[in-house]
């Protein structure tokens, strides 16, 4: 499945609306991971089609994180994700 940025934005918007409109990027990424995981278990495909990167703080959606200003130990997530082959 290919990455679906529109679906990722819809999931993020839904989660943010349920949280009153604000939350940390890290919490948003974690909740999006759990939403993707639950969808995978039920439908045998990913909701967003995103790739995951394991960080010390937990799993993050690699492609979605490229549009959010998240950092980890001095390296931006997009720099780390560029090292992941996409095909």
């Amino acid at each position: 499945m290919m990455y679906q940025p529109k679906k990722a934005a819809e999931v993020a918007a839904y989660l943010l609306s349920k949280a009153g409109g604000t939350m940390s990027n890290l919490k948003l990424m974690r909740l999006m991971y759990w939403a993707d995981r639950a969808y995978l278990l039920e439908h045998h495909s990913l909701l967003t089609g995103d790739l995951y990167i394991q960080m010390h703080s937990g799993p993050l959606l690699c492609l979605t994180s490229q549009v959010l200003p998240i950092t980890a130990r001095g390296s931006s997530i997009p720099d780390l994700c560029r090292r992941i082959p996409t095909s």
Side-chain angles (χ1 to χ4, degrees):
M1 168 184 255
M2 294 188 62
Y3 176 58
Q4 299 181 48
K6 182 179 178 188
K7 183 59 75 174
E10 290 170 352
V11 171
Y14 174 79
L15 293 170
L16 285 167
S17 73
K18 291 295 184 179
T22 61
M23 75 173 67
S24 71
N25 288 339
L26 182 59
K27 184 173 182 177
L28 178 60
M29 288 290 106
R30 285 182 177 173
L31 290 174
M32 289 181 73
Y33 164 78
W34 286 108
D36 231 3
R37 184 179 184 277
Y39 190 87
L40 176 64
L41 292 173
E42 187 172 331
H43 300 281
H44 306 288
S45 66
L46 293 172
L47 182 62
T48 65
D50 208 336
L51 301 171
Y52 289 93
I53 185 168
Q54 179 62 42
M55 303 298 293
H56 180 60
S57 57
L60 296 176
L61 288 82
C62 188
L63 300 172
T64 301
S65 70
Q66 292 185 25
V67 298
L68 297 175
I70 302 173
T71 59
R73 294 182 185 239
S75 297
S76 67
I77 298 300
D79 290 341
L80 295 172
C81 289
R82 280 196 264 287
R83 298 181 197 148
I84 298 174
T86 57
S87 58

